[in-house]
Amino acid sequence: MKVIFFDLDGTILSHQTNSIPESTLLALETLKTKGILRVLCTGRHRKELEELHVSHLDFDAWILLNGQLILNKDFSILWENPIEGNKKEILLSLFKNKKYPIQLLEKDDFYINYVNDDVRYAQASIHTSIPDISEYRGNVIYQGILFVDQQKEEQVKEEFDEDVLITRWNDYAIDVVSSQGGKGNAIQVFLKHFDIEKEESMAFGDGLNDCSMFEQVGTGIAMGNSHPDLKKQAQFVTKDIDDDGIMFGLLRYGL
């Protein structure tokens, strides 16, 4: 085993305790001594990592925004996949017209066009603050978050006349990235860059946005608290995050 990819919410970070289990911290340190690369692979933005007090963790690389950015240990860009062309124009038009609450995510910052109860509910569920309201700043956009329910999600899909990758992470929120995005695509890029075979990689996750991650690694381990569909795809289902799930899964594979 040469590299292990870890989702954040519900995998590394418990929202029951709003902290990282001690057994998980010990597991990450043990992997380091074995020379196994540890990569955080999350839909989160770097600013959110700072707010959640996890940006100090000693990961060897960071895959952020559902695979739109691969950053080196020092947060410099290793690879990027921005939203461009017509997809970007549609997203910006919806943002400026305020048809839906939309958060735009750049490399170092993010902001939203307006706030309603859907935004408040979704942000509260992930224990992060509501983004500042701002106008589009002209910078590179890597991801959009649209705060819509399932009915409005169908409207959003009709808005884009080009394919985008849409992933729901809350009853009132979806991530929108380019159709070439997703955690799985970023993992493919990472493995090729470091000349690592698929069979030499592993991933831990709990949500639907981890399905593509499991497709691109040799071993996918679902947390006990995972979405049922991810458990079906996993090679092994470990214990819940708050029941030392990371440690249990690594012990299961002799790591």
Side-chain angles (χ1 to χ4, degrees):
M1 191 62 57
K2 292 185 178 179
V3 60
I4 303 179
F5 301 92
F6 296 92
D7 173 53
L8 179 61
D9 296 279
T11 302
I12 291 287
L13 179 67
S14 168
H15 286 300
Q16 297 298 320
T17 64
N18 202 29
S19 64
I20 301 171
E22 287 296 324
S23 61
T24 298
L25 293 171
L26 175 60
L28 291 172
E29 188 61 28
T30 302
L31 292 175
K32 180 180 180 180
T33 65
K34 292 176 176 289
I36 298 173
L37 294 175
R38 302 142 307 140
V39 181
L40 189 70
C41 190
T42 176
R44 295 283 197 169
H45 188 278
R46 180 182 174 184
K47 279 181 62 175
E48 293 178 297
L49 302 184
E50 295 170 356
E51 183 177 351
L52 294 167
H53 306 293
V54 296
S55 60
H56 69 284
L57 293 178
D58 187 30
F59 282 103
D60 298 292
W62 313 78
I63 297 177
L64 305 182
L65 304 180
N66 284 312
Q68 296 300 96
L69 274 171
I70 303 178
L71 304 179
N72 291 305
K73 188 180 185 71
D74 61 357
F75 290 103
S76 60
I77 294 178
L78 176 65
W79 179 83
E80 59 184 340
N81 184 33
I83 297 177
E84 298 178 317
N86 196 43
K87 293 186 289 288
K88 178 181 178 181
E89 295 307 314
I90 294 170
L91 180 63
L92 290 178
S93 176
L94 295 173
F95 179 87
K96 293 174 182 177
N97 294 335
K98 298 184 178 180
K99 188 166 185 178
Y100 315 100
I102 298 177
Q103 181 180 347
L104 298 180
L105 296 98
E106 305 170 355
K107 177 181 178 291
D108 296 315
D109 204 2
F110 53 71
Y111 43 89
I112 196 168
N113 54 352
Y114 74 95
V115 174
N116 63 9
D117 287 342
D118 292 349
V119 178
R120 297 183 187 95
Y121 178 88
Q123 291 300 108
S125 74
I126 58 172
H127 302 279
T128 44
S129 57
I130 295 172
D132 293 335
I133 296 174
S134 180
E135 301 293 328
Y136 173 56
R137 301 170 182 176
N139 297 324
V140 175
I141 300 297
Y142 294 95
Q143 178 177 309
I145 297 178
L146 280 68
F147 295 88
V148 295
D149 58 23
Q150 291 188 356
Q151 182 178 359
K152 290 182 180 177
E153 178 182 341
E154 296 306 313
Q155 299 175 16
V156 170
K157 290 177 179 177
E158 293 176 1
E159 300 278 5
F160 289 91
D161 57 3
E162 292 185 34
D163 289 340
V164 293
L165 179 63
I166 294 177
T167 307
R168 178 164 293 280
W169 54 268
N170 181 274
D171 289 343
Y172 297 96
I174 56 175
D175 291 332
V176 177
V177 299
S178 68
S179 56
Q180 294 78 37
K183 292 183 178 184
N185 183 61
I187 285 176
Q188 276 190 310
V189 172
F190 185 95
L191 294 179
K192 183 176 181 180
H193 180 84
F194 288 97
D195 196 24
I196 297 174
E197 297 295 328
K198 178 179 180 179
E199 294 71 24
E200 298 171 320
S201 65
M202 175 183 284
F204 284 81
D206 75 304
L208 290 176
N209 64 343
D210 297 321
C211 290
S212 68
M213 183 165 68
F214 280 16
E215 291 171 359
Q216 301 303 329
V217 297
T219 305
I221 299 181
M223 306 300 290
N225 47 278
S226 294
H227 190 284
D229 289 348
L230 187 69
K231 288 182 178 180
K232 294 176 184 177
Q233 190 177 339
Q235 278 73 47
F236 179 66
V237 178
T238 186
K239 295 181 179 181
D240 284 16
I241 180 174
D242 294 306
D243 194 20
D244 304 324
I246 295 290
M247 180 72 80
F248 187 81
L250 290 171
L251 287 170
R252 168 66 173 74
Y253 283 88
L255 298 172

